Every structure is written in C-alpha cells, then in structure tokens.
Amino acid sequence: NRGEMLLCRVGGKVYDLIRGSEARFEPGRAVYTGRIPGLRFRVTVWVPSGSAAKRVELECGNETDSPLEAEFAYYCEPVLGVDRNASRLSAIRGSMYLTAEGGAESCCCDRGAFLSGRWSDHVLAPLPDPCAAVIVPRKLPPKRSEKIPFVLSFGKTPEEAKAAAGRKSRPEE
C-alpha cells in the first residue's frame, strides 16, 4: 500500500521513512526505526482507544556535525476502497483531517505534483487526482533530536474530524 507515506527530503533526495525500516509491532502501536544519510529516525504509530484518529510521531536526530535542513511530509490518498477509481468522489465528500501538531509550513493536494517532487504546489481541490500532504521543514542542529507529531483523523463532518485530531493520548509503553 503506497497510499500513505512518511517521507523526508534532504540533500535533494526523497526517502520513505517507513519502507525498508525496521518494524516492531506491539499491542497498541507500531514502531519503525532506521537511518538515512545524516539522520536517524524512530516513528511511533498508534490509534488512541475509542478514537477516529491515527497519531504518527516522528523523532528524528541529526547525526552530523553540521545543521541539517530537511523537509518531512506525511502523505495520504483519499481512497475509500480497494483502488483509486473513486478517489475524486471520496475527496469531495470526505471528512478526513490531516495535520502536523505545531504547524506545517505547507500542504499539497495534487497527487501528480507531490509525487513529482513539487511539494509546494498550491493547487486547490477538487482535483481529478487528489492527495493530502502536510510538509514540515526543519533545520536540525548537530547531534540533536526533535519530535514532529502528525495526526490523520476522520469524522462524520469536517468539524468532527478536526475534533478527533485534537484528542491527545500516548501509546502504552
């Protein structure tokens, strides 16, 4: 399934932080760990009990002796089925909410633009081939780590989806 990705762009290259990482599945959460050039990461994914929100916490650490500029993007496709045939309709009627806590600098709704590396294209929906992506740029200090929390939620209405995203909890340790 490539309809949901957590990506990092650093040094002009884009890396999928989940694909190829070490995965550990535990009751109530999944943890993915790995490294890309200059950066180590840990991604913890969980759904709070009774919630309609998925929480994705990225902890990334700069392993170099210099500041590291990177962009992190949480991307998903609004497909409510086994294929993309109804994606345009689900995006129009959907009540999905995608955010980065603490704020995202930009977002992208055009699947073609995003997958072509044009993460800052600001084409407004409805689109024939939509996606949802929030992009968070960071300048990571040398030898330091930072957490970036993302939330994907659903509700009967857009207001309910946004409210579900605001409910906070931690996965059980």
Side-chain angles (χ1 to χ4, degrees), residues 8-15 36-39 68-71 119:
C8 174
R9 181 162 47 192
V10 63
K13 294 184 180 179
V14 177
Y15 300 90
I36 59 175
L39 190 76
L68 184 71
E69 292 191 29
E71 292 176 285
W119 289 8

Side-chain angles (χ1 to χ4, degrees), residues 67-85:
L68 184 71
E69 292 191 29
E71 292 176 285
F72 301 94
Y74 185 18
Y75 165 92
C76 65
E77 298 175 6
V79 177
L80 301 176
V82 295
D83 59 32
R84 295 189 44 78
N85 289 337

Side-chain angles (χ1 to χ4, degrees), residues 85-98:
N85 289 337
S87 65
R88 186 179 70 81
L89 296 174
S90 64
I92 292 169
R93 296 180 313 170
S95 54
M96 175 182 87
Y97 185 76
L98 177 64

Side-chain angles (χ1 to χ4, degrees), residues 1 14 21 24 29 44 57 59 70 82 85 89-90 94-95 110-111 113 126 130 133 135 149 161-162:
N1 178 2
V14 177
S21 65
R24 189 175 74 241
R29 69 178 174 176
T44 305
E57 183 178 82
E59 183 175 357
V82 295
N85 289 337
L89 296 174
S90 64
S95 54
D110 184 337
R111 181 176 179 261
I135 296 100
K162 188 173 181 178

Side-chain angles (χ1 to χ4, degrees), residues 49-62:
S49 179
S51 173
K54 177 194 289 189
R55 304 195 66 85
V56 178
E57 183 178 82
L58 167 63
E59 183 175 357
C60 49
N62 178 356

